[in-house]
Amino acid sequence: MLTLVLMVSPVFSQFSFMKQAWQGGGDMWKAYQDMRDANYKGADKYFHAKGNYDAAQRGPGGKWAAGVISDTREFLQGGSSGRGAADSRADQEANKWGREGGDPNKYRPKGLPDKY
């Protein structure tokens, strides 16, 4: 019986990681939707940190998904060079802050409605 449990355990672990990743992707999507809904000047970094924070709280899969989504977004926006490079670096700082468990409110602009 113990052998069966040990053999099945990695399968459950992989399922758990995938579930966390899926849910973390949902957290990132929600933060994006909230950012668009709020349409609040200066709130971009807050929503970056919030999405990454919420996703990472799901576990390793959520943290992984947040990293992949954040890095891909910045890459596709051409943030590694050109005019948007400084903004992209600031976005990535906020992404990492949230993903590592930092309080997203560090980036919260004054006056942003409480519902966010």
Side-chain angles (χ1 to χ4, degrees):
M1 184 62 143
L2 180 60
T3 304
L4 178 61
V5 170
L6 292 175
M7 288 173 51
V8 174
S9 184
V11 173
F12 285 121
S13 179
Q14 288 174 348
F15 175 74
S16 179
F17 183 90
M18 292 183 326
K19 180 180 177 185
Q20 293 166 5
W22 179 260
Q23 292 172 329
D27 293 327
M28 296 292 285
W29 179 251
K30 181 178 184 327
Y32 174 73
Q33 292 296 105
D34 285 348
M35 181 177 68
R36 289 182 52 96
D37 179 57
N39 194 26
Y40 197 87
K41 187 172 182 159
D44 180 45
K45 307 302 180 266
Y46 168 74
F47 288 108
H48 278 268
K50 179 96 169 79
N52 276 268
Y53 177 85
D54 290 346
Q57 296 305 301
R58 302 281 184 178
K63 187 174 182 178
W64 172 83
V68 169
I69 292 167
S70 296
D71 292 347
T72 301
R73 177 182 182 270
E74 295 306 322
F75 175 78
L76 291 175
Q77 289 186 334
S80 60
S81 64
R83 198 173 66 159
D87 189 55
S88 181
R89 281 191 298 277
D91 286 350
Q92 286 289 49
E93 178 185 306
N95 292 336
K96 184 176 180 188
W97 175 262
R99 204 165 42 246
E100 295 300 324
D103 184 355
N105 287 311
K106 172 183 177 179
Y107 296 97
R108 185 181 188 86
K110 189 173 186 165
L112 181 67
D114 290 342
K115 76 179 205 174
Y116 303 108

